[in-house]
């Protein structure tokens, strides 16, 4: 028996160490469950106003890059963190129209804007925000020039190009009147000058004297960022978590929650972490909805998103400068319309997006102020296979050889070559396959190709002949202008659709000499454009999606709309 | 021995050079580049992308790109990460301690468990205990780490709440304190167990078989005949012989840990170089990707070298000059 003592000792040490670790972990869960129980009690009590204190854990699925300054970030996960500790000069309301925040503005002609800043707004390093900080931001970007992803938001200011080329000491269009007033002159009057302008300041104290090209690498951006918002960053563990602490001098008043911890977690952990209270707030993928709805300590917030999916047809190619529509296969409008009528979009959205979306008939998300009402559009493409068949018959696509599939008007075999991107997500192939089945049901032989997502967009952009019909999605920002997506000279116009009426409508809508400063007039032109698109369907609008967020019930006063959440300063935790 | 080591080290240079060509070619064969695949037209203006491509040298001939890369690489400049906008070496160094910590913990777990189970099974072969350990080992061999990881998280992190399911440390604990180290250990233990227990099987079976084989050898029979106590036979005579070949495994372990960490770190959202490798593949962060691949290749060669040298040290019959 003695022989075994060594073995037993080892086992004992192992088991003991596991229990020790277990005890450490247990404490944490215990407090979590306690909180949950208190929530339930709390929600039954009457509201007695916001309470201060507490720690909120905010999770994100994709790793943040760590460019924690609004002037340098380029990923949405960095933007989520920046949103917690920084504030903006201009806000956007639920119709995505600009609203004054720190700055208010005036303009008579859409060329010269006068901005007035609130007084007493503090940076988190104690400095007061002045208009020179904004001037500094604009000049930093302009100094870097086309290499900076925000250059297009600055180069419309008068004199920005000259400043970039070193011909001037300052941007001539940016004129500081006093510490709280600044005048910005654009190179020409445009309808969307304000929406396009870069309206974020950069702290001069933090970055004074630094080479603009080195700023993104500096610790002021990566680990010790300074913002204007309700929380300040106190610690960053790159790629893993960020700790934010309440900023008592926040210009809108002291926030309620003591600390916010931002954590990166794998998507597969979301449900479990929400359930055991390890995470209080997170955005999640629609496929998780059924599981998250079952949790009783979490509520789900749904808001209309700004993205839409479509199925495009390659109608031509991009010759380097403009789109040329020269591919004959899908030129017949009735064929394209029939393919849209053939798809049961309601069923499809329900099956593959947990119902978190709705079919659309125009390439503009409903929450945009330029979106046309459904009843104003010539066609409502409700699922109607009979209508699809009838349209195909009219267009001359008939089954000549009796194999059950239609031939083209010349009697040749017709196959819809449908391409979809592949990211390794198994539901993508299923949802693409469903599309081809809808088409086969109305007699169109279809073939599906799944292509790696990076190669896919490369092929799309370069008009690779292997792609004929393709699935795609666009996200739009605050500026609703569809010209960069559907214009004649737009490289992003993947279907290569060229239409003179469309071009005229889109160009008129941003032409100040046509619409002036009248937004209604501008909207009418966009509605007319959507009517045209709806009739021509160079791409089949499929669905717009909702953005979904899970919020623990102990966190109060969190509101979401299309422009994101309300200010974290308003959130509070029920103690 | 020194001469042998030097010769092997020199021999690694052409090998690494050939590997670099393969790595570079494969990286270039990957579709798209880090700038394509963006779908938000408001953030990525086509002229900006064209400008950046030109600047990053994506438009140069392939051989030029290769020589630029290998030249910088040889000078210790691993390029700037396209994704993080800071030097690739900085990012790797930021993550390396986490992986090293995970690796050491898991190797310790492997050795402790394998030693305990292997000795037990070797001394009492063909008993219930031995069969049980054998069964557990084959399960460990058959079970892929991503399945084991998911189960471990479900049972130990969510259901029992013993371990955290993600991260490497609790951010609110001040760095460098005892609590901080405890928190780090607490975070590393579950992924290390998954990583360590799965590779235990090889060691256990090896040790068991070696003990059984040795116990039938002449020197054991002699010892028994001389009346040496059974405990002494096992603990001294057999163990000393059986443990020698195990040491040589250490070289290969260096490689296995890094390979296993790629998946385990991703499942546990544990920010080490394994997770970094996977994310650099999906985001086409070439400079990080190529540096890490070169590093892994070097580790493989280095691991083999360590194994060979250790073999020479522990077993004097193998002479290397």
């Amino acid at each position: 028996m003695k022989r075994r003592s060594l073995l037993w000792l080892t086992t004992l040490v192992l088991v003991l160490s596991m229990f020790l670790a277990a005890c450490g972990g247990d404490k944490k869960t215990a407090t979590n469950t306690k909180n949950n129980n208190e929530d339930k009690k709390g929600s039954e009590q009457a509201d007695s106003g916001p309470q201060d204190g507490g720690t909120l854990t905010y999770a994100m699925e994709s790793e943040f890059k760590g460019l924690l300054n609004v002037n340098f970030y380029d990923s949405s996960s960095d933007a989520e963190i920046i949103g917690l500790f920084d504030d903006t000069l201009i806000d956007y309301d639920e119709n995505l129209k600009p609203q004054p925040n720190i700055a208010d503005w005036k303009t008579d002609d859409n060329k010269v804007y006068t901005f007035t800043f609130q007084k007493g707004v503090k940076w988190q390093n104690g400095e007061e925000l002045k208009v020179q900080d904004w001037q500094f931001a604009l000049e930093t970007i302009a100094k870097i020039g086309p290499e900076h992803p925000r250059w297009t938001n600055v180069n419309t200011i008068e004199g920005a190009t000259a400043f970039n080329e070193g011909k001037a000491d300052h941007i001539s269009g940016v004129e500081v009147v006093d510490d709280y007033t600044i005048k910005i002159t654009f190179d020409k009057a445009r309808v969307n000058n304000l929406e396009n302008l870069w309206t974020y300041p950069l702290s001069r104290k933090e970055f004074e004297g630094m080479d603009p090209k080195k700023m993104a690498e500096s610790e002021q951006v990566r680990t010790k960022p300074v913002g204007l918002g309700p929380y300040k960053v106190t610690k960053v563990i790159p790629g893993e978590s960020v700790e934010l602490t309440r900023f008592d001098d926040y210009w809108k008043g002291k926030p309620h929650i003591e600390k916010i911890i931002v954590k990166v977690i794998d998507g597969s952990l979301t449900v479990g972490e929400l359930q055991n209270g390890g995470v209080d707030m997170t955005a999640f993928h629609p496929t998780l909805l059924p599981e998250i709805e079952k949790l009783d300590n979490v509520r789900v917030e749904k808001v209309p998103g700004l993205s839409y999916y479509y199925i495009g047809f390659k109608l031509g190619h991009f010759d380097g400068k403009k789109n040329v529509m020269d591919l004959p296969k899908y030129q017949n409008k009735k064929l394209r319309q029939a393919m849209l009528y053939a798809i049961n979009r309601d069923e499809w959205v329900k099956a593959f997006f947990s119902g978190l979306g709705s079919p659309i008939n125009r390439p503009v998300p409903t929450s945009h102020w330029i979106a046309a009402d459904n009843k104003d559009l010539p066609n409502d493409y409700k699922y109607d296979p009979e209508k699809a068949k009838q349209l195909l018959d009219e267009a001359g696509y008939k089954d000549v050889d009796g194999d059950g599939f239609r031939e083209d008007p010349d009697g040749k075999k017709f196959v819809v070559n449908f391409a979809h991107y592949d990211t390794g997500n198994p539901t993508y192939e299923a949802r693409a396959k469903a599309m081809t089945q809808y088409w086969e049901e109305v007699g169109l032989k279809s073939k599906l190709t799944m292509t790696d997502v990076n190669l896919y967009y490369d092929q799309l952009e370069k008009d690779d002949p292997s792609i004929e019909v393709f699935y795609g999605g666009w996200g739009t920002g605050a500026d609703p202008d569809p010209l960069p997506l559907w214009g004649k000279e737009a490289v992003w116009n993947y279907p290569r659709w060229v239409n003179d009426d469309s071009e005229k409508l889109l160009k008129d809508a941003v032409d100040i000499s046509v619409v002036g400063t009248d937004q209604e007039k501008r909207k009418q032109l966009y509605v007319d454009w959507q009517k045209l698109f709806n009739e021509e369907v160079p791409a089949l609008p499929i669905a717009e999606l909702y953005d979904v967020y899970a919020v623990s019930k102990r966190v109060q006063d969190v509101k979401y709309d299309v422009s994101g959440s309300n200010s974290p300063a308003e959130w509070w935790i029920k103690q | 021995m020194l001469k042998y080591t030097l010769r092997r080290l020199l021999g690694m240079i052409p090998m690494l050079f050939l590997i670099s060509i393969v790595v570079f070619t494969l990286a270039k064969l990957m579709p798209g580049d880090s700038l394509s695949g963006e779908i938000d037209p408001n953030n990525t203006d086509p002229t900006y992308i064209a400008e950046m491509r030109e600047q990053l040298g994506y438009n140069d001939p392939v051989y030029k790109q290769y020589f630029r890369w290998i030249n910088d690489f040889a000078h210790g400049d691993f390029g700037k990460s396209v994704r993080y906008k800071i030097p690739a070496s900085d990012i790797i160094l930021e993550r390396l301690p986490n992986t090293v910590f995970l690796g050491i913990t898991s190797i310790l777990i492997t050795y402790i468990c394998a030693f305990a189970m292997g000795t037990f099974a070797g001394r009492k072969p063909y008993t219930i205990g031995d069969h049980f350990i054998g069964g557990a080992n084959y399960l460990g061999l058959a079970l892929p780490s991503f399945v084991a990881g998911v189960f471990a998280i479900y049972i130990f992190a969510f259901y029992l709440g013993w371990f955290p399911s993600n991260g490497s440390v609790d951010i609110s604990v001040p760095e460098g304190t005892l609590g901080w180290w405890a928190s780090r250990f607490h975070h590393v233990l579950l992924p290390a167990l998954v990583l360590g227990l799965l590779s235990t099987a090889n060691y256990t079976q090896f040790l068991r078989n070696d003990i059984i084989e040795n116990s039938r050898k002449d020197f054991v029979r002699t010892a028994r005949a001389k009346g040496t106590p059974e405990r002494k036979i096992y603990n001294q005579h057999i163990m000393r012989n059986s443990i020698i070949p195990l040491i040589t495994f250490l070289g290969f372990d260096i490689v296995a840990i890094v390979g296993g960490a790629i998946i385990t770190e991703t499942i546990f959202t544990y920010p080490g170089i394994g997770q970094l490798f996977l994310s650099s593949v999906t985001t086409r962060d070439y400079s990080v990707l190529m540096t890490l691949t070169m590093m892994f290749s070097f580790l493989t060669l280095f691991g083999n070298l360590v194994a060979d040298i250790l073999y020479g040290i522990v077993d004097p019959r193998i002479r290397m000059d």
Side-chain angles (χ1 to χ4, degrees), chain A residues 3-4 6-7 10 14 21-22 24-26 29 63-65 67 74 146-150 152 217 222 235 237-243 259 261 263-266 269 272-273 276 452 454-455 457-458 473-477 485 491-492, chain B residues 31-32 36-46 48 51-52 55 80 83-86 94-95 112-113 115-116 120 123-124 153 157-158 160-163 165-169 171-173 175 186 189 231 266-267 269 271 275 284:
Chain A
R3 245 184 286 136
R4 260 197 226 155
L6 184 71
L7 173 75
T10 331
L14 237 129
D26 230 20
T29 350
E63 188 191 308
F64 58 92
K65 287 189 195 175
L67 293 171
D74 61 3
E147 260 177 61
H148 196 291
R150 312 284 178 239
T152 46
E217 292 173 39
R222 311 198 74 89
K235 199 168 165 193
I237 302 182
E240 184 181 338
S241 48
V242 177
E243 182 189 59
K259 254 184 196 179
I261 307 277
K263 268 206 292 198
V264 180
I265 63 168
D266 193 75
L269 307 177
E273 283 287 324
N276 69 15
D452 174 80
N454 286 284
L455 179 63
Y457 281 105
D458 223 31
W474 285 121
T476 62
L485 290 183
V491 67
W492 305 109
Chain B
S36 63
E38 300 275 350
I39 61 160
D40 186 351
N42 296 295
N43 281 346
T44 39
D45 163 61
Y48 162 70
E51 191 94 18
M52 287 304 283
Q55 242 223 330
K80 205 167 166 181
R83 186 170 140 79
Y84 299 91
K85 315 275 193 298
I86 50 174
E94 211 167 67
R95 309 291 187 92
I112 293 171
C113 295
F115 187 77
F120 177 82
R123 285 183 194 190
K124 300 189 168 299
I153 288 174
F158 291 158
L160 297 170
W162 290 0
F163 297 100
S165 66
N166 57 73
S168 73
V169 71
I171 190 166
S172 38
V173 183
E175 202 169 321
H186 189 197
L189 209 56
R231 186 159 56 104
T266 308
I267 292 174
T269 339
Q275 196 204 27
R284 322 276 135 155

Side-chain angles (χ1 to χ4, degrees), chain A residues 131-196:
Chain A
V131 291
Q132 287 88 339
D133 289 320
W134 188 19
Q135 184 190 26
F136 182 59
L138 295 172
E139 291 187 349
T140 301
I141 294 173
K143 206 169 260 170
I144 299 173
E147 260 177 61
H148 196 291
R150 312 284 178 239
W151 169 239
T152 46
N153 303 103
V154 174
N155 66 2
T156 49
I157 302 174
E158 195 180 79
T161 319
F163 176 78
N164 173 251
E165 288 160 357
K167 291 180 194 153
D169 293 338
H170 287 288
I171 302 177
S172 59
V174 180
E175 187 195 329
V176 176
V177 180
D178 59 46
D179 282 354
Y180 305 98
T181 320
I182 192 168
K183 216 188 223 171
I184 294 198
T185 312
F186 292 93
D187 55 357
K188 67 175 191 191
R190 278 187 208 86
V191 192
N192 55 351
N193 265 339
L194 180 68
E195 284 96 330
N196 184 57

Side-chain angles (χ1 to χ4, degrees), chain B residues 286-297:
Chain B
Y286 287 109
S287 34
V288 174
L289 177 65
M290 293 195 289
T291 313
L292 282 177
T293 322
M294 285 306 287
M295 200 171 116
F296 295 160
S297 316

Side-chain angles (χ1 to χ4, degrees), chain A residues 335-381:
Chain A
L335 168 66
R336 302 195 298 262
Q337 288 181 336
M339 284 172 72
L340 189 47
Y341 276 117
I343 302 169
N344 190 343
R345 294 179 294 172
D346 282 304
E347 182 186 82
W348 187 81
V349 170
K350 210 168 178 179
F352 296 105
F353 292 94
S354 308
L356 288 171
S358 43
I360 43 166
N361 293 312
R362 52 179 143 67
V364 175
T366 310
S367 43
H368 247 304
W369 61 270
I370 65 158
D373 215 34
N374 242 345
K375 61 178 190 302
D376 292 339
L377 296 171
N379 305 300
D380 181 8
Y381 292 98

Side-chain angles (χ1 to χ4, degrees), chain A residues 120-397:
Chain A
V121 179
K122 284 263 174 71
W123 286 102
Q124 286 156 2
N125 58 10
E127 290 284 299
E128 194 187 352
L129 171 75
K130 293 186 176 153
V131 291
Q132 287 88 339
D133 289 320
W134 188 19
Q135 184 190 26
F136 182 59
L138 295 172
E139 291 187 349
T140 301
I141 294 173
K143 206 169 260 170
I144 299 173
E147 260 177 61
H148 196 291
R150 312 284 178 239
W151 169 239
T152 46
N153 303 103
V154 174
N155 66 2
T156 49
I157 302 174
E158 195 180 79
T161 319
F163 176 78
N164 173 251
E165 288 160 357
K167 291 180 194 153
D169 293 338
H170 287 288
I171 302 177
S172 59
V174 180
E175 187 195 329
V176 176
V177 180
D178 59 46
D179 282 354
Y180 305 98
T181 320
I182 192 168
K183 216 188 223 171
I184 294 198
T185 312
F186 292 93
D187 55 357
K188 67 175 191 191
R190 278 187 208 86
V191 192
N192 55 351
N193 265 339
L194 180 68
E195 284 96 330
N196 184 57
L197 179 65
W198 186 247
T199 48
Y200 302 89
L202 183 67
S203 166
R204 281 169 302 160
K205 194 190 172 195
E206 295 293 316
F207 293 96
E208 194 90 79
M210 203 184 283
D211 176 4
K213 289 188 184 178
K214 295 261 187 270
M215 284 183 186
E217 292 173 39
S218 67
E219 63 169 18
Q220 285 94 320
V221 167
R222 311 198 74 89
T223 51
K224 296 194 171 70
V226 161
L228 297 162
Y231 290 88
K232 54 176 191 254
V233 176
T234 40
K235 199 168 165 193
V236 177
I237 302 182
E240 184 181 338
S241 48
V242 177
E243 182 189 59
L244 301 125
T245 316
R246 181 164 68 191
F247 177 49
D248 292 343
D249 287 337
Y250 180 52
W251 68 285
K252 279 182 183 164
K254 200 169 140 182
H256 303 297
I257 299 171
E258 185 68 44
K259 254 184 196 179
I260 298 181
I261 307 277
V262 181
K263 268 206 292 198
V264 180
I265 63 168
D266 193 75
S268 59
L269 307 177
T270 307
V271 180
E273 283 287 324
L274 279 169
Q275 186 172 21
N276 69 15
V279 165
D280 294 314
M281 254 173 104
T282 182
F284 63 88
H285 195 267
T287 45
L288 294 177
L289 182 73
E291 281 177 87
I292 289 180
E293 274 182 331
K294 275 188 222 146
L295 306 176
D296 50 11
N297 60 337
V298 171
R299 63 171 186 275
V300 172
E301 298 269 350
K302 269 187 256 186
V303 290
L306 283 179
S307 55
Y308 62 88
Y309 286 122
Y310 67 91
I311 289 177
F313 300 94
K314 276 281 178 200
L315 303 170
H317 73 281
F318 190 73
D319 72 357
K321 280 207 177 76
K322 60 181 195 305
N323 291 298
V324 185
M325 204 158 86
D326 58 356
L327 289 175
K329 191 165 173 183
Y330 293 97
Q331 293 292 357
N332 194 321
K333 180 174 90 185
K334 282 184 177 162
L335 168 66
R336 302 195 298 262
Q337 288 181 336
M339 284 172 72
L340 189 47
Y341 276 117
I343 302 169
N344 190 343
R345 294 179 294 172
D346 282 304
E347 182 186 82
W348 187 81
V349 170
K350 210 168 178 179
F352 296 105
F353 292 94
S354 308
L356 288 171
S358 43
I360 43 166
N361 293 312
R362 52 179 143 67
V364 175
T366 310
S367 43
H368 247 304
W369 61 270
I370 65 158
D373 215 34
N374 242 345
K375 61 178 190 302
D376 292 339
L377 296 171
N379 305 300
D380 181 8
Y381 292 98
K382 277 215 158 64
Y383 176 54
D384 191 347
E386 288 317 309
K387 179 135 192 201
K389 286 178 194 162
Q390 183 203 327
L391 279 168
L392 288 171
D393 286 341
E394 283 171 22
Y397 291 84

